[in-house]
Amino acid sequence: MILPSLTSITLLALTGILAQAKPTSNLRTWDEAYAKAEQVVSKMSIEQKVGLTTGMGWGITNCVGNTYASEDPDFPSLCLQDGPLGTRYASNATAGVSGINAAATFDRNLMYKRAEVIGKESRGKGVHIQLGPSVDMLRAPNGGRGWEGFGEDPYLQGVAGAEFVKGVQDQNLVATAKHYVLNNQETNRTTSNSDVDDRTLREIYVWPYARMVEAGIGSVMCSYNYYEDVHICENDYMLNTVLKKELSFRGFVMSDWGATHSTAPSANGGLDMTMPGDINYGDGLSYFGPNLTKAVENGEVTEERLTDMATRIAAAHFKVGQDKDYPETTLRSFDRQNEPEVIVTSDDHINFVREIGAASLILLTNDGILPLSSKDFGKIAIVGSDAAPPSVECTDLACNDGTYVQGWGSGTVDFPYIISPTEGITNRAGDSVKVVHTYDDWDTEAAAELASDADIAFVFAKTEAGEEYLMVDGNNDRKNLTLWNNGDNLIQAVADANENTVVVIHSVGPVLMPWIAHKNIKAVVWPGLPGQETGNSLADVLFGDVNPSGRLPYTIAKKEEDYGAHISAEYNIEYGEKLNVGYRHFDANDIEPLFAFGYGLSYSTFDYGKLKVNTKRGKRDTLATATVFVRNTGDVDGAEVAQAYISFPESAGEPPKVLRGFERVYLKAGQQRKVNFEFTETDLSIYDEESSCWVVPEGEYTVSIGASSRDIRESATFEL
Ligand code: NOJ
């Protein structure tokens, strides 16, 4: 297999076929899609229907998963490919920002556009089914795959998930929501039982899936873990009762890779497709395939159920309009040398990655040193391997000796190149500024010496994490929340040596910051995991070409014990914090975070005023509306993220407040705009365990609007 080159090449020099990435507008309603699907499936034999539901095996097909094609009636082999941030195992494609960065933008349009780029590129490679988004909740701050998803809040996960579905499916691909459900840590992911009550299950963990079903999602991937001691992929309650009946999901359920454990119990439990098909990778056997045919013939699985399985799969395919003008699959996931050259990246995509990289950067502290002006300094010192271009390559990115821009595992994509932070800063600073660097994280003396005579010192540090099948230094879930590679000591040493120190952290999630009060640390910059344009996105913000507006999609605590949930090594993982996930736990227990959920600074300042709440029943199922005026009171143009939190009547037993709206508004210096929020019946409901129904509690509600979960500027009450 050819591994990606991590050198800085220019894509414009590439030759080859430019993929025809124009979307067709063949989208259908579910009813129309079912009508088409029923027509085809009704002509299929049992074996042909089984073929649709069965993967051909791991490592031997073009994509990470492929179904069997059918002839007469014709139905293609569907190509299933990771993942949540781009097209895995693909050359000439773009490596964009991770899911956690999309969440940090708090911007629906950017979330949609990101998914549109992913959809265009995957479509150009002939992928039918995109294996994303991931909406696994960042329940414990060190969860290994939290960076693939959208943070610690279900509402944010739901909005970002739905935008992903729309963006990808508008490009005629089926999106796949994963990992359904309660798959929130890597430790023992295949052997643990997630133990959660019915209300928490729905209000926190199923919530994002409900929003994606509303957005028309075509497929859902069931996860490895157990619920009530039954594998999720054969869990009748989770798949049939909750997903298919309660949420009215009309698409299909595929297994995570190797998460199928039986034939009839899986098919009857709600699983529609087994992936990658084999029982154990490479054994040529399958729980579906001939075993499913046999189960249908001997009555363990009804033919009606098999028809339902095949119809759901075909319907998803027709819903997104893959039956017309669809590109052939040119991926060669396991034979990269023979991958035809099809260029799906473009200048537009690259520019977009740079833009969303900057828009997702979170400025945590700034005493005024930023934005930089090249006039004010002649020498910049850059310290830390996290500023360097990576020079090593290995499977699914489970090694990294340079700047960190993605975690590791199946949710990664190849890098065509990486603009390192050093390169980005050096280019932007221009010839009049001398830039010196050291990438040795362990030689703190050399770092201090280099920093000591610079006008400004940037010190870079990182954390890494990823998926279970790969381990880095004993981590997949992070073992702790400290910085990697001697980061704390490096930051301390540089800050001791230079009174204009700026800390930059590329991290998969929250970290501890023992040095935060150091008087020489003049700014802390948090770019998250920004993809191939990382250095340019960073420089855009550092030099003030872009005014930062990213917001934390998780809480950064003062100490690890402050968090409400932790990775468990037990078989039974108790979700004992119930509804108090993330910031809700900090609010409920009156714990001061270091940096709150929703927090992030700007180079400008914003005022909020004149909040008005109305309970007049509006269009659709809106029960209340709020309007607030936001004014840019500084002298720099920029975006503010206004956030709306709802406090339910006390009798509801909800956390003190929950996010139920956000709007990123761009304001010129001095400009004011009215921001509108609508709260629907869904937004104002709770799941009542006694009646097993969603209900709108009666009583007094509070709307709190502000710049973070701990920076509420205006609030008002209303009665329902
Ligand atoms: C296992 C991962 O959990 C899942 O997210 C991924 O889509 C499949 N492998 C396929 O690579």
Side-chain angles (χ1 to χ4, degrees):
M1 181 188 302
I2 296 177
L3 284 163
S5 150
L6 292 171
T7 52
S8 215
I9 56 159
T10 152
L11 287 162
L12 300 174
L14 292 170
T15 53
I17 314 156
L18 266 177
Q20 182 250 343
K22 200 169 143 275
T24 54
S25 51
N26 300 333
L27 303 189
R28 294 188 175 91
T29 65
W30 275 119
D31 283 344
E32 290 162 354
Y34 262 77
K36 290 275 295 175
E38 279 158 11
Q39 246 175 29
V40 177
V41 174
S42 65
K43 295 187 192 115
M44 287 185 176
S45 65
I46 289 178
E47 283 82 0
Q48 283 173 315
K49 287 187 261 197
V50 164
L52 257 68
T53 71
T54 307
M56 295 166 73
W58 174 251
I60 53 173
T61 60
N62 290 333
C63 307
V64 300
N66 272 88
T67 56
Y68 287 93
S70 157
E71 263 176 44
D72 193 20
D74 291 345
F75 194 84
S77 166
L78 298 176
C79 160
L80 290 76
Q81 192 75 354
D82 293 295
L85 81 74
T87 320
R88 187 181 180 198
Y89 297 148
S91 310
N92 303 318
T94 313
V97 307
S98 296
I100 200 69
N101 278 51
T105 67
F106 279 76
D107 183 318
R108 289 174 180 77
N109 290 329
L110 292 176
M111 291 170 182
Y112 176 88
K113 275 197 192 160
R114 168 179 178 265
E116 191 182 48
V117 168
I118 294 171
K120 276 190 180 147
E121 296 202 356
S122 282
R123 181 184 196 280
K125 296 281 184 183
V127 174
H128 297 96
I129 298 174
Q130 186 77 24
L131 302 178
S134 165
V135 290
D136 293 336
M137 208 66 65
L138 188 65
R139 175 179 171 257
N142 45 337
R145 298 183 76 181
W147 59 273
E148 294 184 40
F150 307 117
E152 69 180 24
D153 179 78
Y155 180 85
L156 181 57
Q157 291 264 14
V159 170
E163 292 304 330
F164 191 101
V165 171
K166 288 185 258 171
V168 161
Q169 295 199 167
D170 282 352
Q171 298 305 314
N172 312 112
L173 280 91
V174 175
T176 308
K178 64 190 194 181
H179 305 84
Y180 184 82
V181 59
L182 304 171
N183 181 183
N184 306 107
Q185 63 174 56
E186 292 306 282
T187 305
N188 301 335
R189 71 172 176 176
T190 58
T191 54
S192 57
N193 183 65
S194 300
D195 186 359
V196 71
D197 61 89
D198 279 355
R199 177 172 175 182
T200 304
L201 171 71
R202 287 170 180 78
E203 290 191 24
I204 304 288
Y205 298 96
V206 173
W207 175 287
Y209 291 91
R211 306 293 80 80
M212 290 185 284
V213 170
E214 287 161 5
I217 193 161
S219 86
V220 167
M221 183 189 291
C222 54
S223 53
Y224 290 119
N225 51 294
Y226 297 75
Y227 170 77
E228 294 200 330
D229 304 320
V230 178
H231 290 290
I232 296 278
C233 290
E234 56 187 62
N235 201 301
D236 175 63
Y237 177 71
M238 283 301 185
L239 302 184
N240 288 329
T241 304
V242 178
L243 181 62
K244 291 182 178 174
K245 286 205 191 85
E246 280 182 28
L247 303 193
S248 306
F249 172 58
R250 299 184 73 184
F252 69 94
V253 177
M254 73 172 77
S255 70
D256 199 343
W257 268 229
T260 309
H261 295 278
S262 63
T263 302
S266 295
N268 294 332
L271 182 69
D272 302 304
M273 180 191 281
T274 187
M275 275 294 148
D278 21 27
I279 292 180
N280 295 303
Y281 284 6
D283 65 5
L285 303 171
S286 183
Y287 284 116
F288 285 8
N291 278 321
L292 182 56
T293 305
K294 213 184 305 157
V296 172
E297 281 164 359
N298 69 24
E300 281 179 280
V301 175
T302 62
E303 186 164 354
E304 189 191 352
R305 170 63 188 129
L306 174 65
T307 302
D308 173 49
M309 293 160 75
T311 307
R312 284 172 173 274
I313 294 163
H317 168 79
F318 289 121
K319 183 176 192 320
V320 298
Q322 292 175 350
D323 48 323
K324 278 185 228 147
D325 308 325
Y326 209 74
E328 71 168 296
T329 305
T330 50
L331 291 172
R332 297 292 178 266
S333 296
F334 306 100
D335 181 20
R336 295 291 296 279
Q337 288 93 332
N338 293 317
E339 181 187 356
E341 192 173 59
V342 176
I343 300 173
V344 291
T345 189
S346 67
D347 286 350
D348 282 355
H349 295 184
I350 292 167
N351 292 339
F352 177 71
V353 171
R354 180 172 179 163
E355 178 192 342
I356 193 172
S360 54
L361 180 148
I362 304 159
L363 183 61
L364 292 180
T365 69
N366 181 21
D367 80 342
I369 194 168
L370 301 179
L372 301 172
S373 150
S374 314
K375 280 188 252 115
D376 304 340
F377 50 85
K379 185 173 178 188
I380 294 178
I382 294 179
V383 174
S385 64
D386 183 51
S391 67
V392 292
E393 300 166 357
C394 50
T395 313
D396 299 335
L397 303 189
C399 66
N400 176 287
D401 64 347
T403 191
Y404 209 58
V405 281
Q406 293 182 42
W408 69 77
S410 64
T412 56
V413 295
D414 297 352
F415 281 99
Y417 64 88
I418 293 182
I419 303 289
S420 70
T422 301
E423 193 179 344
I425 292 172
T426 308
N427 289 345
R428 181 58 181 80
D431 292 342
S432 60
V433 179
K434 185 166 183 207
V435 180
V436 293
H437 68 256
T438 167
Y439 296 145
D440 186 338
D441 297 322
W442 304 94
D443 191 346
T444 51
E445 268 175 38
E449 201 185 311
L450 185 93
S452 61
D453 70 342
D455 298 314
I456 182 163
F458 286 98
V459 52
F460 285 77
K462 65 185 169 187
T463 72
E464 307 181 10
E467 194 178 339
E468 180 239 36
Y469 66 95
L470 296 163
M471 273 230 167
V472 178
D473 196 19
N475 298 263
N476 36 54
D477 292 324
R478 279 182 292 156
K479 289 187 287 190
N480 53 50
L481 296 182
T482 52
L483 288 169
W484 285 37
N485 288 19
N486 205 31
D488 289 329
N489 292 330
L490 197 65
I491 292 170
Q492 183 73 40
V494 172
D496 285 348
N498 188 305
E499 61 180 20
N500 285 325
T501 294
V502 174
V503 176
V504 182
I505 295 176
H506 290 100
S507 179
V508 289
V511 303
L512 302 179
M513 301 185 182
W515 33 259
I516 191 72
H518 197 296
K519 67 176 190 338
N520 289 346
I521 295 180
K522 300 291 165 61
V524 179
V525 178
W526 192 269
L529 301 174
Q532 70 189 43
E533 283 287 315
T534 181
N536 285 334
S537 303
L538 176 65
D540 287 344
V541 175
L542 294 179
F543 289 85
D545 303 329
V546 172
N547 189 352
S549 63
R551 298 291 182 264
L552 279 174
Y554 42 72
T555 305
I556 298 183
K558 290 182 176 162
K559 44 188 199 307
E560 189 162 352
E561 308 80 78
D562 287 349
Y563 287 100
H566 303 273
I567 302 296
S568 164
E570 304 293 317
Y571 163 71
N572 199 54
I573 302 173
E574 271 183 60
Y575 283 49
E577 74 287 359
K578 297 178 184 266
L579 299 175
N580 287 331
V581 180
Y583 63 90
R584 301 151 180 243
H585 165 82
F586 288 77
D587 286 351
N589 295 285
D590 225 353
I591 302 166
E592 191 69 34
L594 185 58
F595 297 109
F597 174 84
Y599 169 85
L601 295 175
S602 162
Y603 294 149
S604 197
T605 49
F606 299 90
D607 267 6
Y608 290 66
K610 298 192 231 146
L611 170 64
K612 277 208 190 103
V613 175
N614 207 320
T615 52
K616 204 167 55 196
R617 286 197 178 245
K619 23 177 172 78
R620 292 175 295 127
D621 63 342
T622 301
L623 297 184
T625 57
T627 56
V628 72
F629 283 86
V630 181
R631 181 190 291 278
N632 184 341
T633 49
D635 44 22
V636 190
D637 303 347
E640 170 71 343
V641 177
Q643 299 156 47
Y645 295 87
I646 293 285
S647 304
F648 282 79
E650 220 174 301
S651 61
E654 282 290 299
K657 63 180 183 306
V658 298
L659 184 71
R660 284 294 187 262
F662 57 82
E663 288 298 329
R664 180 172 180 261
V665 279
Y666 190 84
L667 296 165
K668 293 209 164 294
Q671 193 189 352
Q672 163 174 290
R673 263 171 66 181
K674 187 159 118 184
V675 180
N676 301 308
F677 297 98
E678 285 189 16
F679 306 109
T680 63
E681 201 171 316
T682 305
D683 293 331
L684 302 176
S685 295
I686 63 165
Y687 185 78
D688 177 48
E689 282 189 314
E690 227 165 88
S691 63
S692 305
C693 284
W694 287 87
V695 296
V696 178
E698 282 181 10
E700 188 181 84
Y701 289 72
T702 304
V703 187
S704 303
I705 306 236
S708 87
S709 64
R710 287 290 175 113
D711 184 8
I712 301 304
R713 305 291 183 83
E714 293 272 303
S715 50
T717 58
F718 63 91
E719 292 274 337
L720 287 179

